Amino acid sequence: MVGLLVALQVGTLSAQSPANAVYDRVILGGHVMDPASRLDAVRNIGLLGGRIAVITTEAIRGRDTVDARGLVVAPGFIDLHAHGQTSETYRFYSLDGVTTALELELGTSDVATWYRERSAGERINYGVSIGHIKVRMAVMHDSGTWMPVSDGAYRAASPAQIGEIAKRMEIGVIEGAVSIGAGFPYTPAATRDELLAVFRVAAKMKTPVHVHIRPSVAGLTEALSLAGETGAPLHVVHINSAGLADTPVMLEMISEARAHGRDVTTEAYPYDAGMTEIQSATIQDTYKAAPDERLAELEWPRTGERLNQESFARYTRTGGPVVVHTNTEQMVAVAIHSPLTIIASDAYWQSGTGHPRTTGTFARVLGRYVREAHWLSLMDAIGKMTVMPAQRLEARVPAMRQKGRLRVGADADITIFDASKVVDRSTYLEPWLPPVGIQHVIVNGVSVVANGHAVEGVAPGKAVRAPQ
Ligand SMILES: [Zn+2]
C-alpha cells in the first residue's frame, strides 16, 4: 500500500513540471552515469518517498540538497558476496559505496531468524542465502562456530542426513532466501549425491546456487555438470581465486556455457591474495603436511609474518584469518576486465580484523583498474557493480528490478564519488582504512555517507528477500 502511494506520488510529480514540485531531496549538477540506460550526462535528480522521482536538465527544488557538481552520480553498488553482516561491516561497506550487501555464499542455516534479527533496519540493504555449508554444520553437529571444522567438513552424510539437508535447504528457500549458497572445499566429505540433492532443490525452486567451487578447471567442470544435470542456475563466486592461472580458460568455459543458453554467471574481487579461516578444511587439507616453502604462501595478518610448519601448527590451535598469497596481479586484472564478471568483495571480517577487500573493493576497481590502469571504462566498471548483480537476482527477487539503475521509480540507492580521486587505502596490515573519494551514499533516499564521512544513527537499509 505504501509502495502504491509512493508510485502514485511519483507519477503525479513527474506528470507536472518538475520546476513546480518540491522533492524530499535533490541531487544537483552531478555527472549521472547509468549503465542500464547508458545515460552519461549532467542531470539533476529529485527523490521522493525513497524513490527516484525525476531525472532532468531542468532546475528542481527539494527540502534538502546534495551538491554533486564535479562528481559522478551512479546507482548504489550491490555486493553479492559480503560475509560480515553486522553494523560494523555495514558501515565499512557504505564507506566503499555499497548500498546493498548480500551474504550469498556461506549464507545461514535459518533464514527466517536471520531476517528477523535485522528487521529494525540496518545502515544498508541486506540479504542472505540458505547455505549448504551452514545447514550441513547443523545436521552433522559440527563443532565449529563459523565454518566447519569437524563432521560438517569431514564426515560423509547418511542417506537420511542428505534428506534432512535437502529438506532444510528447501525450507530456507521457501522462507525467502535470496539464493542457495555452497562451498565445496569447505565440505570435502559431501558426496556427489549430496551435492546433486542441493542442486535439485535449486532447480525445483528456480533459485541460483552461489558456489565456491573446488580449484581450477576441474572444479568448474564439476559445478557446470551439477548444474547441467539438474537444470539449476549457477553463479560461480570469485573466479579469480578459484581460477588462479586457469582464470582465462575458466572464463572461456563460462562464456561457452552461456552461449549454449545455460544460466551461469560469475564474479571477481580485485586482490591477488585471498583470506580464510586457518582451521577450515580448505586450508588444513592443503597446508597441514606442506613444506616450509609452500607454507610461506600464508601470511598471519596480525603480524605480517609468513608461516612455517611451527607457526602454522601454533596458529591453527588458536584459529583466526590467514592471508593466502597464491594469485598474480595479471590474473586478477584478466578477471576484473572480463565482461562476464560482476564485482563482489567476498568481504571477510572476524573479531576486529580481516581482508582489505572488506573496506576497499569497489573504490579499488574505480581507482586502480579504471583510472590508473585503464583496464576497463568507468561505465563498464559501474555496470559490474550495479545493474549486473541486480540482473543476476531479478528472476528470484523481483524487487531487484528497482535496484542498480538510475531511472524514475527506481529505489533511491545512489553512490556519488569523485572519479579523479577515488581509491582504496586498506591494506593487509590496516584492513579497516576506508577509501577516499566516495563522497555521498544514499540508501532508500537517506544519506548514510555524507561528504566522505559515515552518518551516524541512520538505518534506512531494508531486507532484500525473495517473495515467500
Ligand atoms: Zn566467500
Side-chain angles (χ1 to χ4, degrees):
M1 194 58 204
V2 173
L4 184 64
L5 278 176
V6 169
L8 284 172
Q9 275 181 320
V10 168
T12 318
L13 259 178
S14 41
Q16 52 180 247
S17 165
N20 299 330
V22 178
Y23 298 95
D24 291 343
R25 314 189 71 190
V26 290
I27 301 164
L28 299 183
H31 176 177
V32 175
M33 296 186 73
D34 177 51
S37 65
R38 306 308 280 188
L39 175 62
D40 186 0
V42 173
R43 290 285 186 274
N44 298 319
I45 298 181
L47 310 183
L48 195 66
R51 303 262 175 95
I52 295 174
V54 67
I55 302 175
T56 180
T57 52
E58 287 183 52
I60 52 174
R61 288 177 300 140
R63 281 180 282 279
D64 180 73
T65 298
V66 177
D67 181 0
R69 284 174 299 174
L71 303 175
V72 169
V73 179
F77 305 153
I78 299 167
D79 190 349
L80 297 183
H81 193 153
H83 290 303
Q85 293 278 325
T86 63
S87 52
E88 180 187 28
T89 55
Y90 292 139
R91 193 175 190 281
F92 284 146
Y93 308 155
S94 68
L95 288 163
D96 195 24
V98 173
T99 54
T100 300
L102 309 172
E103 156 61 284
L104 301 185
E105 177 213 50
L106 261 177
T108 180
S109 60
D110 184 347
V111 170
T113 302
W114 193 94
Y115 279 107
R116 202 178 310 120
E117 284 168 354
R118 291 163 179 78
S119 57
E122 296 291 346
R123 169 173 287 271
I124 59 176
N125 304 307
Y126 54 88
V128 77
S129 66
I130 179 72
H132 172 247
I133 299 172
K134 294 287 195 184
V135 166
R136 191 173 211 279
M137 286 174 74
V139 170
M140 304 300 287
H141 304 290
D142 192 90
S143 59
T145 49
W146 198 54
M147 282 185 178
V149 295
S150 56
D151 285 358
Y154 299 111
R155 192 182 188 86
S158 69
Q161 286 167 324
I162 292 177
E164 179 64 21
I165 289 169
K167 190 180 96 189
R168 293 196 195 189
M169 302 296 296
E170 189 163 338
I171 290 170
V173 174
I174 291 166
E175 288 177 344
V178 170
S179 62
I180 285 175
F184 302 163
Y186 296 104
T187 54
T191 58
R192 185 171 173 86
D193 276 350
E194 179 177 336
L195 300 179
L196 276 172
V198 172
F199 274 66
R200 274 192 209 104
V201 173
K204 176 175 148 197
M205 312 294 284
K206 298 192 168 40
T207 303
V209 199
H210 289 234
V211 190
H212 180 151
I213 60 174
R214 279 184 254 268
S216 304
V217 169
L220 180 57
T221 303
E222 175 189 37
L224 284 170
S225 123
L226 289 163
E229 192 169 330
T230 56
L234 176 68
H235 178 80
V236 177
V237 305
H238 47 54
I239 192 80
N240 52 300
S241 63
L244 303 178
D246 286 345
T247 299
V249 50
M250 288 165 69
L251 285 165
E252 195 48 50
M253 288 166 69
I254 291 173
S255 181
E256 201 150 293
R258 289 170 62 86
H260 284 89
R262 305 268 307 269
D263 182 359
V264 185
T265 53
T266 191
E267 62 176 53
Y269 64 76
Y271 294 83
D272 62 9
M275 180 179 276
T276 194
E277 167 59 50
I278 195 169
Q279 293 177 339
S280 70
T282 179
I283 293 295
Q284 291 299 318
D285 292 356
T286 311
Y287 294 101
K288 200 166 47 193
D292 279 352
E293 311 83 86
R294 185 80 201 277
L295 278 159
E297 289 174 1
L298 301 181
E299 174 185 339
W300 195 246
R302 288 169 216 265
T303 58
E305 75 190 282
R306 296 298 180 118
L307 299 191
N308 55 36
Q309 286 176 335
E310 181 278 320
S311 52
F312 180 79
R314 182 158 42 87
Y315 289 131
T316 291
R317 283 194 293 277
T318 55
V322 67
V323 185
V324 187
H325 292 275
T326 45
N327 209 355
T328 63
E329 184 50 40
Q330 175 67 15
M331 287 301 119
V332 176
V334 165
I336 298 297
H337 175 254
S338 163
L340 289 175
T341 52
I342 289 164
I343 303 300
S345 71
D346 194 12
Y348 179 101
W349 197 258
Q350 287 286 299
S351 7
T353 191
H355 194 291
R357 67 194 182 212
T358 309
T359 53
T361 289
F362 294 86
R364 185 174 176 88
V365 170
L366 297 172
R368 300 189 196 274
Y369 292 80
V370 175
R371 185 181 62 244
E372 290 172 11
H374 304 289
W375 268 95
L376 67 173
S377 74
L378 183 54
M379 186 66 93
D380 287 345
I382 295 170
K384 286 166 169 280
M385 303 169 178
T386 58
V387 70
M388 282 176 67
Q391 284 172 337
R392 165 71 284 189
L393 301 180
E394 279 169 21
R396 168 87 186 135
V397 185
M400 291 306 290
R401 297 202 178 103
Q402 303 307 332
K403 295 201 182 295
R405 288 95 169 159
L406 296 177
R407 66 161 182 236
V408 172
D411 296 341
D413 294 342
I414 300 172
T415 293
I416 302 171
F417 60 92
D418 184 339
S420 71
K421 291 204 180 78
V422 63
V423 79
D424 62 302
R425 291 191 304 150
S426 52
T427 62
Y428 294 98
L429 222 54
E430 295 182 295
W432 48 81
L433 290 177
V436 292
I438 306 280
Q439 292 304 107
H440 301 278
V441 180
I442 296 170
V443 175
N444 297 309
V446 176
S447 284
V448 299
V449 173
N451 301 307
H453 297 285
V455 179
E456 303 305 334
V458 288
K462 296 178 188 167
V464 170
R465 192 168 178 175
Q468 296 141 72

